[in-house]
Amino acid sequence: MKTCKTISYYFILGLAVMALLAQGGSTSSLLYDDFKHFTDFSYIRSIAVGFEYVYFGTTGGIIMYNSAQSKWAEPMTGIEGLEGQDILEIRASGDDHYIWVKTELGVFEYNRTFERWSNVGEFPAESSSDEHLNPDPIYFAPFGYNYLSTGILTDSDDRRFPLTDIVDDGWGNLWIGTWGLGAARADNGNYRIELLPYGLLQHDIVTMQKIDDALWVCGDIGNAYRPGITLFHPGENRFEYVDLPAGRYLGREYISDLFAGEKDVFAATDDGVLVINRDTKQITDRLYRRSGFPDNRTLCVLASGDSLFVGTEYGLGLIRPYLDTDSTETDAVVFLPSLIIYSLLKTDHALWIGTSQGTFRLHLESGKLGLIRVPELRGAPVYEMIREGDQIWLATDIDLVSVDLNTAEVAAFPELNGYGEITALAAADSVVAIGVTSGLLLYINGKKPRYIQYTTNDGLLSNSIRSLSFDEEYLWIGTDRGLTRFGYLDALMYR
């Protein structure tokens, strides 16, 4: 009898393996569960109400609000089977078991039992039961906005945010979608609109920094309607924003680097360095060339003690003290004025400087500056530098090396050349994450070193990776289409 049970167990296990192989001969369906995407969800086309959740169909995917608990659930992104992320229309069953959406590529059904999407061709006849309303002329606007009777919210910069959909859930709530401000709700008794912020201000991420309990995310603002920096609190699944005045920065700002000082966060931009108070999240100052920098266009920034270092296309600028209001004089020094400064990294007593012609090291106490001779890099531009333990990792566009701080031993990784240019870098323990033009590489630095590659076929939001950051069990991936949370530890089990 025991033997029969054993045979039965392995028979069932074999069927399960065959089923997985039949799904495509790869582990991609398993990997999809390890990716969760966050992007600009502020443009809403359609709303549906279930029993527990309110569903907002946005140009960046589906977001869900738990109406009973008055908080956001994680977005329905990174789930296998859905083709197209621009949700044109959304519907839901009364028990939340089924969700139907229409994208430019068809109509799809989500079944909570199987936790995946399938193409169903058209909406089922019983899928539409929500009461959709036209905008009322007497809504009361949230603080900082005005409401026009035609169904439009306006702000002090005269930006207009139309109401796109309104659904009465029958329990006293009006759920509202806007074009540019995301989701909102109102009590159908007082008609006062409350904004429910969720998602990124801009989807094109160039840099991110973990500061306190929040992930600060920003990059190419371009022609964004709401320019600014997004603060994402993953533990609370909550978003807040550092807004930039639209009249001044719209279409101009490019934030290339962030650094968290003791009291302030510094953002290197195309037009000087923004100084943001860590507590209030308010912009308190902007430092320009007249402050002592070689140029207004700044590429990287780092604060150390009372000194602020800023990398530009015309060398490294140092100003000291950078925010001492009691001082009548400010010392300004320029290092390496003939070189472009791409990256900065501080160790215990030195500042490492990645330039257009190799890596330099500035001793912070003596002021001595010297070139770090790494023959493996051949004096090439060093775009990325990170430290993990006693290792410093340096990346050019195609080469990667590690330098041991104790022994000065250099290790090169020429095998990376076959994956395209290096675009981002991060490390945690024995894992190095490398953004390349063909997607994401994980280098496992163990007894048997190996590489694992991930692309959009495995669930990445985009192969164009701009920034990487490890946070406990997750790897955060900044791309040109948004932010991805990757449960890489679970994924490694399948590769």
Side-chain angles (χ1 to χ4, degrees):
M1 191 70 175
K2 185 176 181 179
T3 303
C4 292
K5 287 184 177 180
T6 303
I7 294 173
S8 177
Y9 168 79
Y10 284 109
F11 177 73
I12 294 172
L13 180 62
L15 289 178
V17 171
M18 291 174 64
L20 287 174
L21 293 174
Q23 290 179 5
S26 73
T27 59
S28 62
S29 60
L30 296 173
L31 291 175
Y32 260 88
D33 293 338
D34 295 308
F35 292 99
K36 183 65 67 177
H37 308 305
F38 304 85
T39 187
D40 183 353
F41 299 123
S42 60
Y43 297 90
I44 295 174
R45 298 188 188 276
S46 180
I47 301 173
V49 175
F51 178 75
E52 186 176 3
Y53 297 102
V54 182
Y55 305 89
F56 297 86
T58 82
T59 56
I62 303 166
I63 54 177
M64 303 190 305
Y65 190 80
N66 189 313
S67 57
Q69 299 180 11
S70 298
K71 66 179 184 179
W72 286 102
E74 289 195 336
M76 294 186 66
T77 55
I79 301 174
E80 190 175 15
L82 181 62
E83 299 176 19
Q85 66 176 18
D86 187 353
I87 308 302
L88 305 179
E89 185 179 352
I90 186 166
R91 302 178 186 179
S93 62
D95 59 359
D96 293 300
H97 191 76
Y98 293 98
I99 302 163
W100 300 274
V101 299
K102 180 180 181 181
T103 74
E104 69 276 14
L105 298 175
V107 175
F108 299 84
E109 177 185 86
Y110 179 78
N111 186 318
R112 288 196 182 275
T113 300
F114 299 106
E115 297 184 336
R116 61 174 296 162
W117 293 93
S118 57
N119 193 327
V120 293
E122 59 184 18
F123 286 111
E126 70 278 7
S127 64
S128 180
S129 60
D130 294 323
E131 182 183 0
H132 296 263
L133 308 177
N134 292 321
D136 196 283
I138 59 170
Y139 286 129
F140 295 96
F143 178 77
Y145 295 88
N146 292 311
Y147 180 73
L148 304 181
S149 59
T150 52
I152 297 174
L153 290 171
T154 65
D155 65 6
S156 57
D157 290 310
D158 200 30
R159 292 177 295 185
R160 299 189 168 209
F161 306 95
L163 308 190
T164 54
D165 195 11
I166 303 171
V167 174
D168 188 334
D169 65 3
W171 294 90
N173 299 298
L174 300 177
W175 301 100
I176 302 171
T178 74
W179 195 252
L181 283 177
R185 69 165 297 278
D187 190 308
N188 64 7
N190 61 27
Y191 279 38
R192 185 170 300 279
I193 296 175
E194 172 194 2
L195 296 178
L196 305 172
Y198 194 81
L200 308 181
L201 283 181
Q202 294 91 39
H203 57 75
D204 196 342
I205 299 172
V206 175
T207 185
M208 58 182 159
Q209 189 74 241
K210 182 68 182 295
I211 303 174
D212 301 323
D213 67 340
L215 195 64
W216 291 51
V217 178
C218 55
D220 187 1
I221 289 174
N223 60 353
Y225 206 45
R226 297 170 61 200
I229 300 172
T230 299
L231 279 64
F232 177 34
H233 302 262
E236 304 172 34
N237 192 32
R238 178 174 63 87
F239 289 83
E240 59 179 322
Y241 310 108
V242 176
D243 290 304
L244 300 178
R248 177 174 181 180
Y249 304 116
L250 184 58
R252 295 178 55 205
E253 203 80 69
Y254 185 98
I255 302 176
S256 55
D257 192 26
L258 291 169
F259 186 86
E262 207 170 294
K263 297 180 180 179
D264 301 295
V265 176
F266 302 92
T269 81
D270 279 345
D271 193 22
V273 173
L274 288 175
V275 183
I276 305 165
N277 185 278
R278 286 181 66 158
D279 294 329
T280 66
K281 312 299 189 298
Q282 298 296 312
I283 297 172
T284 60
D285 201 358
R286 181 183 283 264
L287 306 176
Y288 296 95
R289 182 175 180 177
R290 64 174 178 264
S291 306
F293 303 152
D295 190 48
N296 279 344
R297 183 168 184 259
T298 56
L299 305 177
C300 53
V301 61
L302 184 146
S304 177
D306 67 347
S307 302
L308 185 67
F309 297 91
V310 176
T312 75
E313 293 181 335
Y314 303 97
L316 175 69
L318 161 64
I319 58 174
R320 177 197 296 128
Y322 60 87
L323 283 177
D324 189 348
T325 55
D326 296 328
S327 176
T328 57
E329 295 183 1
T330 299
D331 295 328
V333 184
V334 176
F335 300 93
L336 307 170
S338 62
L339 302 181
I340 304 173
I341 311 300
Y342 290 114
S343 55
L344 297 170
L345 176 67
K346 184 180 179 296
T347 58
D348 295 338
H349 304 290
L351 179 72
W352 290 53
I353 309 166
T355 80
S356 52
Q357 295 182 25
T359 303
F360 292 77
R361 183 167 53 197
L362 174 66
H363 194 276
L364 294 175
E365 293 182 4
S366 67
K368 183 178 180 180
L369 180 68
L371 174 66
I372 299 176
R373 302 189 182 279
V374 183
E376 290 82 356
L377 298 183
R378 304 180 300 278
V382 176
Y383 298 109
E384 297 276 352
M385 296 190 299
I386 60 170
R387 179 179 179 177
E388 176 60 23
D390 293 328
Q391 298 286 324
I392 288 184
W393 297 81
L394 311 173
T396 71
D397 55 349
I398 59 173
D399 292 307
L400 177 68
V401 303
S402 67
V403 180
D404 191 299
L405 289 174
N406 296 322
T407 65
E409 182 180 351
V410 177
F413 304 85
E415 61 272 18
L416 284 175
N417 293 341
Y419 292 98
E421 295 184 2
I422 299 172
T423 59
L425 199 62
D429 298 326
S430 61
V431 180
V432 180
I434 309 162
V436 292
T437 50
S438 57
L440 172 70
L441 281 180
L442 292 186
Y443 171 63
I444 316 302
N445 188 15
K447 293 183 179 179
K448 295 182 179 180
R450 61 191 177 111
Y451 292 91
I452 306 174
Q453 185 174 18
Y454 302 93
T455 69
T456 53
N457 292 332
D458 300 303
L460 283 183
L461 184 60
S462 169
N463 288 336
S464 181
I465 297 172
R466 315 290 185 85
S467 186
L468 294 165
S469 178
F470 281 99
D471 179 21
E472 298 178 353
E473 72 269 31
Y474 295 119
L475 171 64
W476 295 94
I477 306 169
T479 76
D480 61 338
R481 293 181 57 191
L483 177 69
T484 292
R485 186 190 69 197
F486 178 29
Y488 72 101
L489 292 176
D490 290 337
L492 291 180
M493 298 174 59
Y494 303 124
R495 289 290 188 96

